[in-house]
Amino acid sequence: MRDQSRLPTSPGFWRSPLRGTWFTSVLGLVLLVGVTVLFVTGLVSYAAYNPDLSRVNDMTPDKGVLGFYLFAWPSNPVWLYRLTQGLHVTLGVTLIPVLLAKLWSVVPKLFTLPPARSVTHALERISLLLLVGGGLFEFTTGVLNVQLDYVFPGSFYPLHFYGAWVFFAAFVAHAALKTPTALRAVRHRLRDESELAAPRPDAPTVSRRGALGLVGGGSLLLFLTTVGQSLGGPFRRTALLAPHGTADPGGGPNGFQINKTAAYAGITAADTHEDNWRLVVTGRTGTVRLSRAQLLRLPLHSSSLPIACVEGWSTADQWWRGVRLRDLAALVGHDGDPPDVLVESLQRHGAFRRAALRANQVADGRSLLALYVNGEELSPDHGHPARIIVPAAPGVLNTKWVARLTFEDL
């Protein structure tokens, strides 16, 4: 007769002495806090894109009630998005060992038979599948996005957005059922581990506390090799696992991080040559066309601002100089309180070649159509002849190679 203990559906198949209520509960409580922070910062990131301004900013079609808009994204403090998205990405990477250890600790329950003992048990099993599948999907797509490795089908934004709601709904249901038990187990170190403990465990080679220490050490290592991309400065050299980690690329005033080069975006020297390029500004009183030389004759202002991106990386503060957006709005009849603005790039293809900014962002005196950075003209890769720079905005809203500004209520 076949030995049933060789099948994962048999309790005897699982022999590790580490599995148990206390071990799983500690990991679960860490995830309870961590995943909640991830979900909140994810919603904050969604709000930072100003999705209600214009359909060009909304990458989550047919979202319905799931896409409720939290608040008008502020332009102060300037490091706000750098903080919230840096926390989101760094914490997500740091929690990977905890998530994997938690899944390992409960994997025997995924193979228990019968698959459903009652309607309630069936619903619990379905929610567990959504929880495990959703968690793996969210963490995997998040890591691939950070690594700029878009091997998944479709756009990252709707995949991660809808996946987050599925995962978090299952997570909330699971937490409501299991948190009281987890708290009791950790507080009183419960020994009733019939559901999770192996009936015939092998001899232990490490204690449960030691296993938790190993998980914590893995998380600490990932934290130390990731967080530097958000901190910038000398810490960037520690971000060994981040594509925008280590030293700043290139040298000189334009030697700081980029995502898209001019070549990647299809921007040629002819597109940006001073004889060909004109900025088209449209508003209440009509349209004006401005050459770079004409822009330089307007009042110029300076702002010290970072760039922070959805992948979690950010630059140190750079010194930008150019024309204030609110002054360009005034040129086309919007004196006083300027409206929203639709920004269009010379870039012909790809996401966010068109982006919208809120009126409060336009009105901020630090929001510029930048012509210089750190005392020199913008390089082609940093958006020459002109780019947007706005405090606290996601990097993709700081449009490069700007061709047109349309000031209106969006």
Side-chain angles (χ1 to χ4, degrees), residues 69-222:
Y69 193 64
L70 296 176
F71 46 82
W73 187 250
S75 58
N76 200 49
V78 298
W79 42 260
L80 180 60
Y81 190 73
R82 182 181 189 178
L83 172 65
T84 60
Q85 192 61 16
L87 175 61
H88 183 78
V89 170
T90 302
L91 179 60
V93 172
T94 300
L95 286 176
I96 289 174
V98 183
L99 175 69
L100 294 179
K102 176 65 160 61
L103 294 179
W104 172 87
S105 74
V106 298
V107 70
K109 297 188 68 174
L110 297 178
F111 293 92
T112 56
L113 294 176
R117 295 189 297 267
S118 65
V119 174
T120 302
H121 185 241
L123 292 175
E124 181 183 351
R125 294 297 295 275
I126 292 172
S127 69
L128 190 61
L129 289 175
L130 293 175
L131 178 68
V132 173
L136 291 174
F137 179 83
E138 285 299 287
F139 278 81
T140 300
T141 55
V143 169
L144 290 174
N145 181 63
V146 169
Q147 295 297 324
L148 309 178
D149 194 359
Y150 302 109
V151 296
F152 39 79
S155 170
F156 166 76
Y157 296 95
L159 288 174
H160 204 66
F161 177 82
Y162 292 123
W165 280 106
V166 172
F167 169 54
F168 196 70
F171 179 80
V172 169
H174 185 74
L177 291 172
K178 300 299 183 181
T179 298
T181 300
L183 290 173
R184 288 195 301 272
V186 172
R187 187 179 299 118
H188 303 297
R189 292 188 58 83
L190 296 180
R191 293 299 182 182
D192 180 14
E193 301 174 334
S194 56
E195 287 190 1
L196 296 173
R200 291 183 294 151
D202 289 331
T205 57
V206 64
S207 69
R208 285 172 178 165
R209 288 185 179 275
L212 287 177
L214 183 63
V215 173
S219 290
L220 179 61
L221 180 62
L222 289 178

Side-chain angles (χ1 to χ4, degrees), residues 16-349:
S16 173
L18 296 179
R19 291 189 178 92
T21 304
W22 181 80
F23 183 75
T24 298
S25 296
V26 172
L27 297 171
L29 291 175
V30 173
L31 288 174
L32 176 64
V33 176
V35 169
T36 301
V37 173
L38 286 180
F39 187 71
V40 171
T41 52
L43 288 181
V44 167
S45 179
Y46 177 78
Y49 279 74
N50 298 326
D52 70 335
L53 275 188
S54 171
R55 294 184 66 183
V56 299
N57 278 23
D58 186 5
M59 305 297 287
T60 54
D62 303 321
K63 59 191 180 300
V65 296
L66 297 181
F68 63 89
Y69 193 64
L70 296 176
F71 46 82
W73 187 250
S75 58
N76 200 49
V78 298
W79 42 260
L80 180 60
Y81 190 73
R82 182 181 189 178
L83 172 65
T84 60
Q85 192 61 16
L87 175 61
H88 183 78
V89 170
T90 302
L91 179 60
V93 172
T94 300
L95 286 176
I96 289 174
V98 183
L99 175 69
L100 294 179
K102 176 65 160 61
L103 294 179
W104 172 87
S105 74
V106 298
V107 70
K109 297 188 68 174
L110 297 178
F111 293 92
T112 56
L113 294 176
R117 295 189 297 267
S118 65
V119 174
T120 302
H121 185 241
L123 292 175
E124 181 183 351
R125 294 297 295 275
I126 292 172
S127 69
L128 190 61
L129 289 175
L130 293 175
L131 178 68
V132 173
L136 291 174
F137 179 83
E138 285 299 287
F139 278 81
T140 300
T141 55
V143 169
L144 290 174
N145 181 63
V146 169
Q147 295 297 324
L148 309 178
D149 194 359
Y150 302 109
V151 296
F152 39 79
S155 170
F156 166 76
Y157 296 95
L159 288 174
H160 204 66
F161 177 82
Y162 292 123
W165 280 106
V166 172
F167 169 54
F168 196 70
F171 179 80
V172 169
H174 185 74
L177 291 172
K178 300 299 183 181
T179 298
T181 300
L183 290 173
R184 288 195 301 272
V186 172
R187 187 179 299 118
H188 303 297
R189 292 188 58 83
L190 296 180
R191 293 299 182 182
D192 180 14
E193 301 174 334
S194 56
E195 287 190 1
L196 296 173
R200 291 183 294 151
D202 289 331
T205 57
V206 64
S207 69
R208 285 172 178 165
R209 288 185 179 275
L212 287 177
L214 183 63
V215 173
S219 290
L220 179 61
L221 180 62
L222 289 178
F223 172 81
L224 294 176
T225 52
T226 302
V227 69
Q229 71 166 348
S230 300
L231 298 177
F235 299 100
R236 189 174 301 281
R237 296 182 180 274
T238 67
L240 303 177
L241 297 183
H244 292 282
T246 66
D248 290 341
N254 279 273
F256 56 95
Q257 281 67 31
I258 58 171
N259 260 359
K260 296 178 182 177
T261 64
Y264 176 87
I267 307 298
T268 66
D271 293 326
T272 59
H273 193 276
E274 61 182 6
D275 291 337
N276 299 327
W277 181 83
R278 294 293 183 273
L279 175 70
V280 179
V281 184
T282 300
R284 179 185 296 146
T285 58
T287 299
V288 298
R289 295 170 59 88
L290 301 168
S291 67
R292 183 177 167 90
Q294 290 172 313
L295 284 169
L296 291 173
R297 289 196 287 270
L298 296 174
L300 300 183
H301 298 265
S302 297
S303 299
S304 180
L305 300 172
I307 296 175
C309 281
V310 69
E311 297 92 359
W313 65 269
S314 60
T315 71
D317 288 358
Q318 310 297 323
W319 194 253
W320 308 89
R321 187 162 178 80
V323 182
R324 294 185 301 193
L325 292 184
R326 69 188 190 193
D327 292 341
L328 290 169
L331 286 179
V332 288
H334 297 286
D335 296 311
D337 294 329
D340 310 323
V341 62
L342 176 64
V343 185
E344 298 177 75
S345 173
L346 290 172
Q347 182 180 341
R348 296 173 180 85
H349 306 286

